[in-house]
């Protein structure tokens, strides 16, 4: 995963990562191990790709109505990609291009980036992007310990303060 211009995640079997980690340490490059259940986006996913492809091919895809950035390409999703089972197999197996996706979003002059959901991981990564210095980057919740409604209302107020239109009737409904 390429999360920022100076931050990436490398995945694979421990016996192969240890020499890599040692080499980074010798070069003075900071590294830390992530606690995760699987090495997603690595060759360790290969055993499930055929079964995953069969499952995805059985789904009915609908036309993209809301444009979104692909973590596989770092650019806007294309209609043919979103409905192609092989795209989703590649998404499971190939490099996540989060940093490129942030760069694509930042091409909008009036962009406001908002992470929706618990935590602040994407928020933090987007803030680290060198081109994001002039762009508001918000998270919908202050953190895992913050109650949901106050966090959402604070974020809504911040969005409104940045000029994002708010459907007040919808909020109170």
């Amino acid at each position: 995963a390429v999360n920022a211009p100076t931050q990436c995640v490398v995945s694979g079997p421990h016996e192969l990562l240890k020499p890599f980690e040692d080499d980074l340490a010798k070069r003075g490059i900071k590294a830390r191990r992530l606690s995760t259940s699987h090495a997603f986006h690595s060759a360790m996913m290969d055993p499930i790709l055929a079964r995953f492809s069969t499952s995805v091919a059985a789904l009915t895809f609908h036309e993209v109505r809301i444009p979104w950035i692909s973590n596989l390409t770092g650019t806007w999703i294309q209609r043919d990609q979103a409905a192609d089972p092989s795209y989703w197999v590649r998404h499971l197996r190939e490099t996540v291009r989060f940093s490129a996706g942030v760069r694509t979003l930042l091409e909008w002059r009036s962009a406001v980036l908002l992470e929706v959901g618990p935590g602040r991981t994407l928020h933090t990564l987007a803030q680290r992007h060198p081109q994001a210095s002039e762009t508001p980057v918000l998270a919908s919740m202050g953190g895992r310990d913050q109650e949901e409604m106050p966090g959402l209302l604070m974020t809504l107020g911040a969005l409104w303060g940045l000029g994002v239109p708010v459907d007040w009737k919808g909020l109170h409904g």
Side-chain angles (χ1 to χ4, degrees), residues 69 76 100-109 111 113:
I69 301 291
W76 295 102
V102 171
R103 186 176 56 247
T104 298
L105 286 172
L106 293 174
E107 290 173 0
W108 283 0
R109 295 228 181 260
L113 304 185

Side-chain angles (χ1 to χ4, degrees), residues 19-171:
F20 180 70
E21 188 176 29
D22 293 343
D23 184 54
L24 291 176
K26 286 177 191 173
R27 295 172 184 222
I29 299 171
K30 292 181 183 179
R32 70 177 173 92
R33 291 186 179 224
L34 300 178
S35 177
T36 183
S37 61
H38 295 80
F40 295 107
H41 311 287
S42 79
M44 295 176 79
M45 293 286 100
D46 289 353
I48 70 155
L49 294 181
R51 195 168 117 211
F52 181 73
S53 179
T54 300
S55 296
V56 173
L59 298 173
T60 301
F61 291 93
H62 299 279
E63 186 171 332
V64 174
R65 293 184 194 158
I66 300 172
W68 47 277
I69 301 291
S70 163
N71 268 342
L72 182 61
T73 65
T75 59
W76 295 102
I77 192 70
Q78 302 297 309
R79 288 181 190 174
D80 57 328
Q81 291 173 321
D84 181 358
S86 68
Y87 168 86
W88 296 104
V89 172
R90 289 179 57 219
H91 197 284
L92 179 64
R93 173 60 180 86
E94 294 181 21
T95 302
V96 173
R97 304 195 181 285
F98 182 78
S99 182
V102 171
R103 186 176 56 247
T104 298
L105 286 172
L106 293 174
E107 290 173 0
W108 283 0
R109 295 228 181 260
S110 59
V112 174
L113 304 185
L114 172 65
E115 178 173 3
V116 177
R120 301 173 71 90
T121 302
L122 303 178
H123 167 266
T124 301
L125 293 173
Q127 281 185 317
R128 290 181 182 160
H129 201 285
Q131 293 170 309
S133 62
E134 301 295 319
T135 302
V137 181
L138 306 170
S140 66
M141 302 174 115
R144 297 183 197 285
D145 297 332
Q146 188 177 29
E147 289 185 43
E148 184 175 297
M149 188 53 73
L152 291 173
L153 291 174
M154 291 290 290
T155 302
L156 182 62
L159 289 168
W160 179 73
L162 291 167
V164 175
V166 174
D167 177 1
W168 296 110
K169 289 182 182 177
L171 173 67

